[in-house]
Amino acid sequence: MQLSDRDLSQLDVEELLNLSEKDLRHLSIKLLTDLKEARERLNQNSRNSSRPPSSEAPWEKGIRQDDSTHESEEVQDAENSDTKESEPLEEPDHTDQNETDEARKPGKQPGAKGFGRQQVLALTDYKDHFPEDCVSCHQPLKGCPQKAYTAFETIDLEWADKAHPGLRLTNTKHTYYKVTCACGQVTRKEPYRSNSHDALPDITCSQWRLVGPGLASLIICLAYRMRLSRERIEEFLQDWLGLQLSIGTINNTLHACLRAPHRQESGAATQPIEDELVKEVVESQLLHVDETSWMELSTFLWLWVFSTDTVTAYWIASRSSELIENILGRAYYGWLMSDGYQVYRKYRNRIRCWAHLLRKAQGLEESLNKEAQLFGKQTLEFMGILMTAIREAREHPPDVPLTETYQAQLIAYRQRCEQMKMASHKKTYALATEMLNDWDAIFRVLEFPHLPLTNKEAERALRHWVILRRISYGTRTEAVSCVFAILISVIETCRKRQQSPWLYLATVIHNQRSGLAVPKLPIAKGSE
Ligand SMILES: [Zn+2]
């Protein structure tokens, strides 16, 4: 804008009438430029600019129902979801923080209502756990006097399969015994206790074990795949399984079901899963990367997605180059599909999503500046011709590379971009500069027409979680962010491989609770 609010406030009719013709002409030019820029801003939407669809009013969204871009589906989805009953992934903080300078720790507060079950369930199964050998003389303890010293109940689900459809809830009483050896030594069978319990100091062992792996898997599914709020999950379990679980237990199940690797930390039980995801990403031939904003309490972070034909992996981190370097290292040898964000630029075999560029060109064509209109139109036409040629080349590979066939047009268009770099119209300048800066990445697809033209793959992989973010307002602690990222990576990777994420997660949770190794991610259906 050429005139500031202050300038405008000083202009009135009287002043205009007193201006000389020359001054009036000068002012008119400024006013016209500003008016056009203001109108263009007014007409901007997600179809012709990088404005996110979420910034649009509901009536604006309704107008373009024929729009097939990913955002419009996202908007539809978001509208269908019941955002009124939204809540954070963790319980909101209701304590008055003004009263104390000390920050409230996440998790159960002293004096808060306890976890656990409010209901007495009939037992369906019993499991006794005995020590095998004496800790002192190492003799087998069979036949020695025994006494139960602790017990806990675990509610779980018996899995539905083709032969046994439906769900059956089980309530197993696990009893642990101590045995007195002939040598006098008393040996106890101890329930396995992993390090992840240390992160949950307020939760007793029996509370931790209340929700079995299958039930935990169902709760994860309801929260993340079905995007239900904690209240809705509580309602579902009550209405369909006759099970009363407190919100606290549901929350605890979601946050503590796995011990995920923290940023910069290794050795967690799910480290093998993360290692496998990273390995697949690094070794991929084609990688789609994208990122979307994410809130971790009051920290502004990004949810990153790395999508290959075998895995969809997520990380929550800052938007610096650090994460991408941690994952990919300095060199990545496959094709990297991304938007124009700088951190990707150092990777050699980079390709650019055309959808963003086409939207920007569309915006120029619809602008009020003649030069911009023309450049927008030329860009759309040129890219349109190239897209047709690329699609044809995929069907019938040409003898001559497309870069040669279209060499003259490429040179001409590049010259247009050079000219438009001098344009006074900001968005025209911006698109021309972007084209020139990223020229190789944008037009590399001409040499390799089998490569994709858009980053839809990655955008699609983020869409579901963007809607969840709107319902849940992100995560609250780093630990929860890490568990969340690994859970959604597992869910999407299993789905990509046409395997049940829920069976796999139940096995992971079971193994982790028993001190067993975490199984590898299931391999794609058909390649077993
Ligand atoms: Zn003994």
Side-chain angles (χ1 to χ4, degrees), residues 46-197:
S46 59
R47 193 178 44 85
N48 59 17
S49 72
S50 47
R51 247 184 75 172
S54 55
S55 62
E56 286 166 23
W59 54 88
E60 290 178 320
K61 291 168 185 169
I63 296 168
R64 297 187 312 279
Q65 282 186 341
D66 58 329
D67 192 340
S68 60
T69 61
H70 67 286
E71 288 95 343
S72 68
E73 282 172 51
E74 178 181 283
V75 167
Q76 298 264 314
D77 268 6
E79 280 171 356
N80 290 339
S81 65
D82 191 351
T83 47
K84 272 184 199 155
E85 301 208 7
S86 61
E87 53 143 2
L89 280 180
E90 286 194 63
E91 289 301 281
D93 189 351
H94 295 304
T95 54
D96 189 357
Q97 291 204 342
N98 296 333
E99 285 180 2
T100 167
D101 289 331
E102 208 180 316
R104 178 188 183 272
K105 279 187 190 161
K108 184 172 171 286
Q109 299 304 299
K113 224 175 116 192
F115 289 105
R117 206 170 61 206
Q118 300 128 4
Q119 163 190 41
V120 179
L121 275 185
L123 291 166
T124 59
D125 298 285
Y126 297 86
K127 202 158 187 215
D128 293 328
H129 304 267
F130 299 100
E132 283 171 7
D133 304 316
C134 172
V135 281
S136 175
C137 70
H138 304 292
Q139 292 300 307
L141 289 168
K142 221 172 177 182
C144 297
Q146 60 200 32
K147 201 178 169 191
Y149 77 94
T150 191
F152 57 81
E153 291 174 22
T154 298
I155 311 168
D156 212 345
L157 285 178
E158 249 170 39
W159 223 275
D161 57 36
K162 276 181 189 153
H164 310 89
L167 286 178
R168 191 176 88 95
L169 211 58
T170 60
N171 186 26
T172 306
K173 184 173 183 177
H174 293 271
T175 308
Y176 283 76
Y177 287 84
K178 56 183 180 182
V179 181
T180 312
C181 176
C183 78
Q185 176 73 36
V186 178
T187 304
R188 283 177 164 207
K189 177 71 180 176
E190 300 277 355
Y192 176 77
R193 200 177 162 87
S194 78
N195 291 335
S196 52
H197 295 104

Side-chain angles (χ1 to χ4, degrees), residues 264-324:
Q264 317 288 333
E265 187 205 314
S266 60
T270 51
Q271 188 70 46
I273 301 177
E274 192 176 20
D275 292 346
E276 190 182 341
L277 293 170
V278 171
K279 184 170 177 284
E280 290 287 331
V281 165
V282 170
E283 291 175 359
S284 61
Q285 300 289 311
L286 171 63
L287 176 63
H288 292 262
V289 188
D290 202 0
E291 70 289 320
T292 185
S293 58
W294 192 266
M295 287 305 283
E296 186 181 278
L297 199 56
S298 54
T299 313
F300 191 77
L301 293 173
W302 296 84
L303 174 66
W304 292 73
V305 65
F306 291 71
S307 177
T308 76
D309 61 343
T310 57
V311 296
T312 311
Y314 299 84
W315 282 275
I316 292 172
S318 73
R319 206 188 181 203
S320 69
S321 56
E322 196 184 327
L323 179 95
I324 193 155

Side-chain angles (χ1 to χ4, degrees), residues 396-422:
H396 312 286
D399 300 328
V400 186
L402 293 178
T403 36
E404 270 179 46
T405 313
Y406 291 93
Q407 195 179 24
Q409 286 101 315
L410 281 165
I411 292 168
Y413 182 70
R414 199 181 165 105
Q415 280 167 352
R416 275 299 284 158
C417 291
E418 299 280 4
Q419 284 170 357
M420 289 303 108
K421 235 182 135 174
M422 306 298 153

Side-chain angles (χ1 to χ4, degrees), residues 465-495:
W465 309 107
V466 168
I467 298 162
L468 185 77
R469 180 194 66 202
R470 293 208 195 119
I471 299 169
S472 71
Y473 311 112
T475 44
R476 264 186 53 134
T477 66
E478 190 184 326
V480 171
S481 294
C482 293
V483 173
F484 177 77
I486 200 96
L487 277 176
I488 69 174
S489 301
V490 164
I491 293 170
E492 293 299 339
T493 298
C494 287
R495 280 168 42 75

